[in-house]
Amino acid sequence: MKGEVETGLENVVALESSITFIDGEKGILQYRGYDVEKLANLTYDEVSYLLIHGKNPEDEELEAYSRTLKDERRIGSTLIEVLGFCNFNIEAMDALKTITSLMSHCDPDLNTNNPQANTRKGMRMIAKFPTIVTSFSRLKRGMNVIEPDYEMSHGANFLYMLRGSRPTNLEARIIESDFILSADHELNPSTFAARTVTSTLSDLHSAVIGGLCTLKGPLHGGARMAVMNMLDEIDSPKGAQNFVLHKIEKHEKLMGFGHRVYKTYDPRARVYKQLAREIAMEKNDMKWFEIAEKIEGAAYEEYVQNRGKPIYPNVDFYSGVVYKYLDIPPKLATAVFATGRISGWIAHCLEQYSDNRLIRPRAKFV
Ligand SMILES: CC(C)(COP(=O)(O)OP(=O)(O)OC[C@H]1O[C@@H](n2cnc3c(N)ncnc32)[C@H](O)[C@@H]1OP(=O)(O)O)[C@@H](O)C(=O)NCCC(=O)NCCS
């Protein structure tokens, strides 16, 4: 056996991938060679195609891809009935796990594991995740489930199904950018989990469920919900500084801050901050944005300036602020993250299947 134990697999390079590049020192993130800041202005369909197929689509390819995704939006009455049986105290993420598992039983490509079948299965999950998440949210609130619109963009349709009314143009663009910014992040824990499941040659739905279970944790995607709860708890810009000092005093982590790879500002956080500012202005309500800026300022002073620690806002900080303005309930936040991340998981699982070696590290016996 070679090497010492690297706790948390920190800085371990586990495999080669041509999907996403990160430079954690310079704060660079690229999908398939394109800066994420630029991709955030495209549509989710264009970016999920790029992630999955490794190239930009031609016009006809994009049209066919988008049409398939739109046509696959609906979930059947059985899945909606099962959603209604879920305990409404759970997070939407738990309902998404349950329904993804059930959905695999009814998939037309059940028991087929070739690349074409897996691409079709992946597209069905990309298409249906918004419907599952929004249907659960409405049932939980005692409301009727909204049938998907088959023409709206991926993001606009998500907000439409959540609320039952069309979003503004800015809201639609922002949720589209949110899905894009959430779509992939190299070997983050949930993607690594999904690839590990894939490496046993298990099926794609099982791999995605592995990803969902991993994303849920508060050190990973669950931090977004924690950020929303933190904003509610602070409730006024005046309370931000004390909140941060209190966290330091209690040796607790500040959610939405710090990162295993970035030792500088997370490039996604910069885009989210701008989106948060824009939506706050459209709503003529700067409260959440101002609280967030105060938290960021206090964290910079305490962690970076006073303690020399590279703890900056990560992807979950200003996205939590954006979700406040989009009226996304905190218990939905991680599932909304997964609704974006699903295309990255699919891309990674397809890459893993195409050149597979079982992922099986060793432990040092003590
Ligand atoms: C993401 C995260 C798990 C990365 O952790 P990691 O690479 O294992 O780093 P560590 O937890 O070992 O932290 C290294 C140091 O920075 C501190 N630190 C890291 N993130 C911190 C945070 N959010 N708040 C306060 N201190 C933090 C640790 O306390 C530790 O300090 P020490 O060296 O004095 O003990 C961590 O930053 C974290 O828990 N963040 C909050 C949760 C979050 O936002 N997750 C979403 C990530 S995208």
Side-chain angles (χ1 to χ4, degrees):
M1 273 207 293
K2 53 185 173 187
E4 279 303 300
V5 175
E6 304 291 348
T7 46
L9 300 182
E10 183 163 2
N11 291 326
V12 169
V13 178
L15 49 87
E16 289 187 349
S17 173
S18 60
I19 302 172
T20 287
F21 169 78
I22 305 175
D23 184 326
E25 300 294 330
K26 295 193 182 128
I28 297 172
L29 170 62
Q30 296 174 335
Y31 301 163
R32 303 284 190 187
Y34 298 96
D35 288 335
V36 78
E37 293 89 336
K38 297 226 169 71
L39 294 175
N41 296 319
L42 302 182
T43 66
Y44 185 69
D45 292 357
E46 285 170 290
V47 176
S48 66
Y49 186 102
L50 174 69
L51 283 168
I52 291 171
H53 293 281
K55 68 174 194 82
N56 287 313
E58 300 294 337
D59 288 350
E60 328 71 78
E61 288 170 327
L62 180 62
E63 206 179 304
Y65 179 78
S66 290
R67 189 67 265 157
T68 306
L69 286 178
K70 285 174 176 150
D71 291 346
E72 288 282 359
R73 283 178 178 170
R74 194 167 184 279
I75 59 171
S77 54
T78 309
L79 296 190
I80 291 184
E81 202 180 335
V82 174
L83 276 174
F85 291 142
C86 289
N87 179 336
F88 289 142
N89 281 324
I90 60 173
E91 280 178 47
M93 194 63 166
D94 292 307
L96 189 55
K97 255 160 45 191
T98 301
I99 299 299
T100 304
S101 179
L102 190 57
M103 211 162 70
S104 72
H105 307 190
C106 348
D107 193 283
D109 288 300
L110 178 71
N111 295 331
T112 315
N113 211 14
N114 62 45
Q116 294 76 21
N118 280 331
T119 305
R120 287 193 295 272
K121 286 184 199 175
M123 287 179 70
R124 286 183 201 114
M125 284 189 262
I126 294 171
K128 294 184 197 310
F129 269 27
T131 318
I132 298 167
V133 174
T134 55
S135 298
F136 175 74
S137 174
R138 290 186 67 87
L139 289 169
K140 187 178 153 93
R141 288 176 283 152
M143 300 165 105
N144 64 316
V145 164
I146 305 277
E147 176 82 6
D149 180 279
Y150 296 98
E151 296 308 326
M152 282 185 202
S153 71
H154 199 72
N157 174 58
F158 173 87
L159 290 178
Y160 165 71
M161 288 190 293
L162 185 66
R163 302 169 175 174
S165 59
R166 290 182 86 96
T168 66
N169 288 342
L170 180 65
E171 287 175 326
R173 188 175 72 69
I174 284 179
I175 193 76
E176 199 85 6
S177 300
D178 167 59
F179 289 149
I180 293 167
L181 293 167
S182 301
D184 195 39
H185 207 233
E186 199 222 45
L187 274 197
N188 62 89
S190 57
T191 302
F192 187 60
R195 286 191 77 132
T196 303
V197 176
T198 305
S199 85
T200 69
L201 298 186
S202 185
D203 66 286
L204 189 65
H205 285 86
S206 298
V208 168
I209 293 164
L212 289 167
C213 295
T214 315
L215 186 69
K216 186 186 163 194
L219 296 188
H220 192 8
R224 209 167 281 198
M225 177 173 78
V227 166
M228 297 183 77
N229 290 334
M230 169 171 78
L231 293 168
D232 278 333
E233 192 183 330
I234 298 177
D235 199 44
S236 140
K238 280 192 283 203
Q241 177 96 19
N242 275 345
F243 184 90
V244 174
L245 291 174
H246 201 54
K247 284 273 165 199
I248 292 172
E249 214 173 270
K250 290 198 294 176
H251 301 286
E252 285 178 6
K253 284 188 169 163
L254 189 61
M255 300 316 266
F257 281 78
H259 201 274
R260 175 61 67 76
V261 181
Y262 295 116
K263 299 305 165 204
T264 181
Y265 215 100
D266 182 329
R268 299 164 298 175
R270 226 181 274 288
V271 184
Y272 271 118
K273 183 172 181 179
Q274 179 55 25
L275 298 177
R277 186 183 283 116
E278 284 176 40
I279 188 81
M281 285 167 73
E282 178 174 272
K283 305 239 171 208
N284 200 16
D285 169 12
M286 300 306 288
K287 175 177 156 178
W288 305 117
F289 184 77
E290 282 172 7
I291 296 175
E293 274 206 312
K294 291 278 182 210
I295 299 172
E296 184 188 344
Y300 184 77
E301 195 180 322
E302 294 300 331
Y303 296 122
V304 184
Q305 288 185 323
N306 295 348
R307 290 169 179 77
K309 291 185 185 181
I311 300 169
Y312 295 90
N314 62 45
V315 66
D316 293 313
F317 187 60
Y318 280 103
S319 56
V321 182
V322 164
Y323 288 7
K324 290 292 294 176
Y325 285 112
L326 291 177
D327 293 323
I328 291 172
K331 278 192 169 173
L332 217 65
T334 326
V336 181
F337 191 164
T339 300
R341 181 56 57 91
I342 178 69
S343 58
W345 288 335
I346 303 300
H348 277 272
C349 292
L350 293 177
E351 188 179 64
Q352 184 70 36
Y353 281 128
S354 72
D355 185 19
N356 186 52
R357 183 139 200 256
L358 180 73
I359 296 175
R360 202 298 186 197
R362 294 296 309 275
K364 178 178 176 182
F365 180 71
V366 289

